[in-house]
Amino acid sequence: MERLQKVIAQSGVTSRRKAEELIREGKVKVNGNVVTELGTKVGTKDKIEVNEIQIQREQPVYFLMYKPSGVITAVSDDKGRKVVADYFKDIIEQRVFPVGRLDYDTTGAIIMTNDGEFANVLMHPRYQLDKVYIAKVKGIPQREKIKQLERGIRLEDGMTAPAKVKVTSIDKKKGTAIIELTIHEGKNRQVKRMLEAIGTPVMKLKRERYGYLDLKGLNPGEFRELTPHEIKQLRNLAVTQTSKKSRR
């Protein structure tokens, strides 16, 4: 027996918090009866409906994918372009969705799952998991510009949190540099906008690491299942990061 809101979240319909709101609003039925009590527990044979639609209770699955360039971070695309979910269609029974997003031309680590609660933990701003990006930029950043990124930089939608920045290589002849940037936020096109703001537009971008997960052993378009230990560690890491920041 599991809590109703947890089962709804694990089905991928919505986050646990939103599931709790739906329960309170009387939009959830169990075996045909409206349920509004958050502590309600359900079993595997119970029929659960959200907004009159029966949820599909799937075994939760978790994958780390190496997203290639030229692929949309979505489960479908109205323009018919390839999406990350396409890589899983003929391989697993469960319907998975991406946790967060990477731009069309950005490559790298992305987590795919059907567990809405788990996705919410990773994406919610208060959990603040580190994400490491490697960017090839046009121009060679000056030290003062790097310090701006480290302090936080003002974008059109507000200040960014302080970032960890490391210039790993410089090509003076070509006028380019490789920058490693670690952030925990997820604003739209954030890394690109941050680097554009200091005068070094991105030529190529890859998310090298998500939390402590890296792409070792994977090629673009490949994925692997996360181990139970890795899933637990991601959850623990999110909680630890939140605790650290709340004490500051």
Side-chain angles (χ1 to χ4, degrees), residues 98-119:
V99 178
R101 58 167 290 132
L102 289 175
D103 290 343
Y104 182 74
D105 58 349
T106 299
T107 66
I110 192 160
I111 291 175
M112 302 287 293
T113 185
N114 61 347
D115 186 339
E117 180 194 9
F118 180 75

PDB file of all heavy atoms in Angstrom, residues 98-119:
ATOM      1  N   PRO A  98      11.678  13.563 -20.267  1.00  0.00           N
ATOM      2  CA  PRO A  98      12.939  14.137 -19.791  1.00  0.00           C
ATOM      3  C   PRO A  98      12.751  14.963 -18.532  1.00  0.00           C
ATOM      4  O   PRO A  98      11.739  15.624 -18.345  1.00  0.00           O
ATOM      5  CB  PRO A  98      13.367  15.028 -20.967  1.00  0.00           C
ATOM      6  CG  PRO A  98      12.084  15.416 -21.632  1.00  0.00           C
ATOM      7  CD  PRO A  98      11.164  14.235 -21.475  1.00  0.00           C
ATOM      8  N   VAL A  99      13.759  14.923 -17.671  1.00  0.00           N
ATOM      9  CA  VAL A  99      13.791  15.768 -16.477  1.00  0.00           C
ATOM     10  C   VAL A  99      14.524  17.056 -16.858  1.00  0.00           C
ATOM     11  O   VAL A  99      15.730  17.041 -17.101  1.00  0.00           O
ATOM     12  CB  VAL A  99      14.510  15.067 -15.315  1.00  0.00           C
ATOM     13  CG1 VAL A  99      14.588  15.983 -14.096  1.00  0.00           C
ATOM     14  CG2 VAL A  99      13.795  13.764 -14.958  1.00  0.00           C
ATOM     15  N   GLY A 100      13.799  18.153 -16.938  1.00  0.00           N
ATOM     16  CA  GLY A 100      14.406  19.393 -17.400  1.00  0.00           C
ATOM     17  C   GLY A 100      14.575  19.378 -18.913  1.00  0.00           C
ATOM     18  O   GLY A 100      13.916  18.612 -19.621  1.00  0.00           O
ATOM     19  N   ARG A 101      15.502  20.231 -19.404  1.00  0.00           N
ATOM     20  CA  ARG A 101      15.669  20.297 -20.849  1.00  0.00           C
ATOM     21  C   ARG A 101      17.090  20.712 -21.219  1.00  0.00           C
ATOM     22  O   ARG A 101      17.820  21.291 -20.408  1.00  0.00           O
ATOM     23  CB  ARG A 101      14.685  21.296 -21.463  1.00  0.00           C
ATOM     24  CG  ARG A 101      14.792  22.713 -20.920  1.00  0.00           C
ATOM     25  CD  ARG A 101      14.013  23.690 -21.777  1.00  0.00           C
ATOM     26  NE  ARG A 101      14.641  23.873 -23.069  1.00  0.00           N
ATOM     27  CZ  ARG A 101      13.989  23.830 -24.220  1.00  0.00           C
ATOM     28  NH1 ARG A 101      12.707  23.610 -24.240  1.00  0.00           N
ATOM     29  NH2 ARG A 101      14.619  24.000 -25.361  1.00  0.00           N
ATOM     30  N   LEU A 102      17.439  20.357 -22.445  1.00  0.00           N
ATOM     31  CA  LEU A 102      18.657  20.847 -23.085  1.00  0.00           C
ATOM     32  C   LEU A 102      18.237  21.405 -24.441  1.00  0.00           C
ATOM     33  O   LEU A 102      17.329  20.879 -25.082  1.00  0.00           O
ATOM     34  CB  LEU A 102      19.678  19.716 -23.281  1.00  0.00           C
ATOM     35  CG  LEU A 102      20.372  19.168 -22.037  1.00  0.00           C
ATOM     36  CD1 LEU A 102      21.258  17.981 -22.406  1.00  0.00           C
ATOM     37  CD2 LEU A 102      21.200  20.233 -21.333  1.00  0.00           C
ATOM     38  N   ASP A 103      18.887  22.462 -24.883  1.00  0.00           N
ATOM     39  CA  ASP A 103      18.545  23.073 -26.171  1.00  0.00           C
ATOM     40  C   ASP A 103      18.749  22.096 -27.320  1.00  0.00           C
ATOM     41  O   ASP A 103      19.502  21.119 -27.215  1.00  0.00           O
ATOM     42  CB  ASP A 103      19.396  24.317 -26.412  1.00  0.00           C
ATOM     43  CG  ASP A 103      19.023  25.462 -25.480  1.00  0.00           C
ATOM     44  OD1 ASP A 103      17.929  25.406 -24.887  1.00  0.00           O
ATOM     45  OD2 ASP A 103      19.831  26.391 -25.340  1.00  0.00           O
ATOM     46  N   TYR A 104      18.122  22.395 -28.426  1.00  0.00           N
ATOM     47  CA  TYR A 104      18.174  21.578 -29.637  1.00  0.00           C
ATOM     48  C   TYR A 104      19.610  21.241 -30.050  1.00  0.00           C
ATOM     49  O   TYR A 104      19.919  20.100 -30.402  1.00  0.00           O
ATOM     50  CB  TYR A 104      17.472  22.347 -30.766  1.00  0.00           C
ATOM     51  CG  TYR A 104      17.390  21.623 -32.087  1.00  0.00           C
ATOM     52  CD1 TYR A 104      16.502  20.559 -32.264  1.00  0.00           C
ATOM     53  CD2 TYR A 104      18.166  22.031 -33.165  1.00  0.00           C
ATOM     54  CE1 TYR A 104      16.407  19.910 -33.489  1.00  0.00           C
ATOM     55  CE2 TYR A 104      18.066  21.390 -34.395  1.00  0.00           C
ATOM     56  CZ  TYR A 104      17.196  20.332 -34.552  1.00  0.00           C
ATOM     57  OH  TYR A 104      17.099  19.685 -35.750  1.00  0.00           O
ATOM     58  N   ASP A 105      20.505  22.232 -29.978  1.00  0.00           N
ATOM     59  CA  ASP A 105      21.886  22.025 -30.419  1.00  0.00           C
ATOM     60  C   ASP A 105      22.855  21.742 -29.277  1.00  0.00           C
ATOM     61  O   ASP A 105      24.064  21.652 -29.485  1.00  0.00           O
ATOM     62  CB  ASP A 105      22.369  23.234 -31.232  1.00  0.00           C
ATOM     63  CG  ASP A 105      22.292  24.535 -30.437  1.00  0.00           C
ATOM     64  OD1 ASP A 105      21.676  24.535 -29.345  1.00  0.00           O
ATOM     65  OD2 ASP A 105      22.840  25.546 -30.903  1.00  0.00           O
ATOM     66  N   THR A 106      22.341  21.605 -28.061  1.00  0.00           N
ATOM     67  CA  THR A 106      23.179  21.283 -26.906  1.00  0.00           C
ATOM     68  C   THR A 106      23.183  19.773 -26.686  1.00  0.00           C
ATOM     69  O   THR A 106      22.141  19.124 -26.782  1.00  0.00           O
ATOM     70  CB  THR A 106      22.669  21.989 -25.644  1.00  0.00           C
ATOM     71  OG1 THR A 106      22.725  23.403 -25.841  1.00  0.00           O
ATOM     72  CG2 THR A 106      23.512  21.631 -24.423  1.00  0.00           C
ATOM     73  N   THR A 107      24.345  19.221 -26.384  1.00  0.00           N
ATOM     74  CA  THR A 107      24.466  17.789 -26.143  1.00  0.00           C
ATOM     75  C   THR A 107      24.669  17.527 -24.651  1.00  0.00           C
ATOM     76  O   THR A 107      24.876  18.445 -23.869  1.00  0.00           O
ATOM     77  CB  THR A 107      25.655  17.204 -26.923  1.00  0.00           C
ATOM     78  OG1 THR A 107      26.872  17.758 -26.393  1.00  0.00           O
ATOM     79  CG2 THR A 107      25.570  17.532 -28.400  1.00  0.00           C
ATOM     80  N   GLY A 108      24.614  16.237 -24.273  1.00  0.00           N
ATOM     81  CA  GLY A 108      25.017  15.888 -22.925  1.00  0.00           C
ATOM     82  C   GLY A 108      24.003  15.157 -22.079  1.00  0.00           C
ATOM     83  O   GLY A 108      23.013  14.609 -22.582  1.00  0.00           O
ATOM     84  N   ALA A 109      24.270  15.178 -20.779  1.00  0.00           N
ATOM     85  CA  ALA A 109      23.548  14.357 -19.814  1.00  0.00           C
ATOM     86  C   ALA A 109      22.139  14.855 -19.547  1.00  0.00           C
ATOM     87  O   ALA A 109      21.931  16.029 -19.227  1.00  0.00           O
ATOM     88  CB  ALA A 109      24.334  14.314 -18.501  1.00  0.00           C
ATOM     89  N   ILE A 110      21.185  13.953 -19.686  1.00  0.00           N
ATOM     90  CA  ILE A 110      19.809  14.243 -19.313  1.00  0.00           C
ATOM     91  C   ILE A 110      19.183  12.979 -18.740  1.00  0.00           C
ATOM     92  O   ILE A 110      19.492  11.862 -19.193  1.00  0.00           O
ATOM     93  CB  ILE A 110      18.994  14.776 -20.514  1.00  0.00           C
ATOM     94  CG1 ILE A 110      17.661  15.342 -20.031  1.00  0.00           C
ATOM     95  CG2 ILE A 110      18.780  13.696 -21.575  1.00  0.00           C
ATOM     96  CD1 ILE A 110      17.014  16.280 -21.009  1.00  0.00           C
ATOM     97  N   ILE A 111      18.361  13.143 -17.729  1.00  0.00           N
ATOM     98  CA  ILE A 111      17.720  11.999 -17.088  1.00  0.00           C
ATOM     99  C   ILE A 111      16.325  11.811 -17.677  1.00  0.00           C
ATOM    100  O   ILE A 111      15.587  12.769 -17.888  1.00  0.00           O
ATOM    101  CB  ILE A 111      17.651  12.199 -15.566  1.00  0.00           C
ATOM    102  CG1 ILE A 111      19.071  12.124 -14.984  1.00  0.00           C
ATOM    103  CG2 ILE A 111      16.759  11.146 -14.912  1.00  0.00           C
ATOM    104  CD1 ILE A 111      19.155  12.418 -13.516  1.00  0.00           C
ATOM    105  N   MET A 112      15.997  10.556 -17.967  1.00  0.00           N
ATOM    106  CA  MET A 112      14.679  10.188 -18.490  1.00  0.00           C
ATOM    107  C   MET A 112      14.015   9.251 -17.480  1.00  0.00           C
ATOM    108  O   MET A 112      14.652   8.323 -16.963  1.00  0.00           O
ATOM    109  CB  MET A 112      14.820   9.482 -19.834  1.00  0.00           C
ATOM    110  CG  MET A 112      15.532  10.283 -20.910  1.00  0.00           C
ATOM    111  SD  MET A 112      14.560  11.639 -21.577  1.00  0.00           S
ATOM    112  CE  MET A 112      13.249  10.738 -22.437  1.00  0.00           C
ATOM    113  N   THR A 113      12.733   9.478 -17.199  1.00  0.00           N
ATOM    114  CA  THR A 113      12.026   8.660 -16.220  1.00  0.00           C
ATOM    115  C   THR A 113      10.531   8.718 -16.483  1.00  0.00           C
ATOM    116  O   THR A 113      10.057   9.510 -17.304  1.00  0.00           O
ATOM    117  CB  THR A 113      12.326   9.149 -14.786  1.00  0.00           C
ATOM    118  OG1 THR A 113      11.721   8.277 -13.834  1.00  0.00           O
ATOM    119  CG2 THR A 113      11.793  10.559 -14.567  1.00  0.00           C
ATOM    120  N   ASN A 114       9.777   7.883 -15.767  1.00  0.00           N
ATOM    121  CA  ASN A 114       8.320   7.989 -15.754  1.00  0.00           C
ATOM    122  C   ASN A 114       7.829   8.309 -14.349  1.00  0.00           C
ATOM    123  O   ASN A 114       6.636   8.234 -14.067  1.00  0.00           O
ATOM    124  CB  ASN A 114       7.679   6.684 -16.260  1.00  0.00           C
ATOM    125  CG  ASN A 114       8.041   5.496 -15.384  1.00  0.00           C
ATOM    126  OD1 ASN A 114       8.942   5.559 -14.543  1.00  0.00           O
ATOM    127  ND2 ASN A 114       7.357   4.376 -15.585  1.00  0.00           N
ATOM    128  N   ASP A 115       8.741   8.666 -13.465  1.00  0.00           N
ATOM    129  CA  ASP A 115       8.453   8.954 -12.060  1.00  0.00           C
ATOM    130  C   ASP A 115       8.347  10.466 -11.865  1.00  0.00           C
ATOM    131  O   ASP A 115       9.349  11.175 -11.770  1.00  0.00           O
ATOM    132  CB  ASP A 115       9.571   8.364 -11.188  1.00  0.00           C
ATOM    133  CG  ASP A 115       9.277   8.491  -9.685  1.00  0.00           C
ATOM    134  OD1 ASP A 115       8.458   9.340  -9.298  1.00  0.00           O
ATOM    135  OD2 ASP A 115       9.892   7.734  -8.913  1.00  0.00           O
ATOM    136  N   GLY A 116       7.117  10.962 -11.814  1.00  0.00           N
ATOM    137  CA  GLY A 116       6.904  12.394 -11.690  1.00  0.00           C
ATOM    138  C   GLY A 116       7.431  12.976 -10.399  1.00  0.00           C
ATOM    139  O   GLY A 116       7.936  14.101 -10.364  1.00  0.00           O
ATOM    140  N   GLU A 117       7.327  12.218  -9.305  1.00  0.00           N
ATOM    141  CA  GLU A 117       7.823  12.707  -8.017  1.00  0.00           C
ATOM    142  C   GLU A 117       9.341  12.876  -8.056  1.00  0.00           C
ATOM    143  O   GLU A 117       9.890  13.883  -7.594  1.00  0.00           O
ATOM    144  CB  GLU A 117       7.437  11.730  -6.902  1.00  0.00           C
ATOM    145  CG  GLU A 117       7.934  12.177  -5.538  1.00  0.00           C
ATOM    146  CD  GLU A 117       7.858  11.062  -4.502  1.00  0.00           C
ATOM    147  OE1 GLU A 117       7.577   9.908  -4.883  1.00  0.00           O
ATOM    148  OE2 GLU A 117       8.102  11.358  -3.328  1.00  0.00           O
ATOM    149  N   PHE A 118      10.020  11.895  -8.605  1.00  0.00           N
ATOM    150  CA  PHE A 118      11.476  11.951  -8.716  1.00  0.00           C
ATOM    151  C   PHE A 118      11.902  13.130  -9.586  1.00  0.00           C
ATOM    152  O   PHE A 118      12.836  13.873  -9.246  1.00  0.00           O
ATOM    153  CB  PHE A 118      11.980  10.636  -9.317  1.00  0.00           C
ATOM    154  CG  PHE A 118      13.467  10.546  -9.488  1.00  0.00           C
ATOM    155  CD1 PHE A 118      14.304  10.348  -8.402  1.00  0.00           C
ATOM    156  CD2 PHE A 118      14.035  10.634 -10.752  1.00  0.00           C
ATOM    157  CE1 PHE A 118      15.675  10.257  -8.570  1.00  0.00           C
ATOM    158  CE2 PHE A 118      15.399  10.540 -10.927  1.00  0.00           C
ATOM    159  CZ  PHE A 118      16.221  10.348  -9.828  1.00  0.00           C
ATOM    160  N   ALA A 119      11.193  13.332 -10.699  1.00  0.00           N
ATOM    161  CA  ALA A 119      11.500  14.447 -11.585  1.00  0.00           C
ATOM    162  C   ALA A 119      11.328  15.771 -10.863  1.00  0.00           C
ATOM    163  O   ALA A 119      12.129  16.697 -11.019  1.00  0.00           O
ATOM    164  CB  ALA A 119      10.603  14.392 -12.824  1.00  0.00           C
TER     165      ALA A 119
END
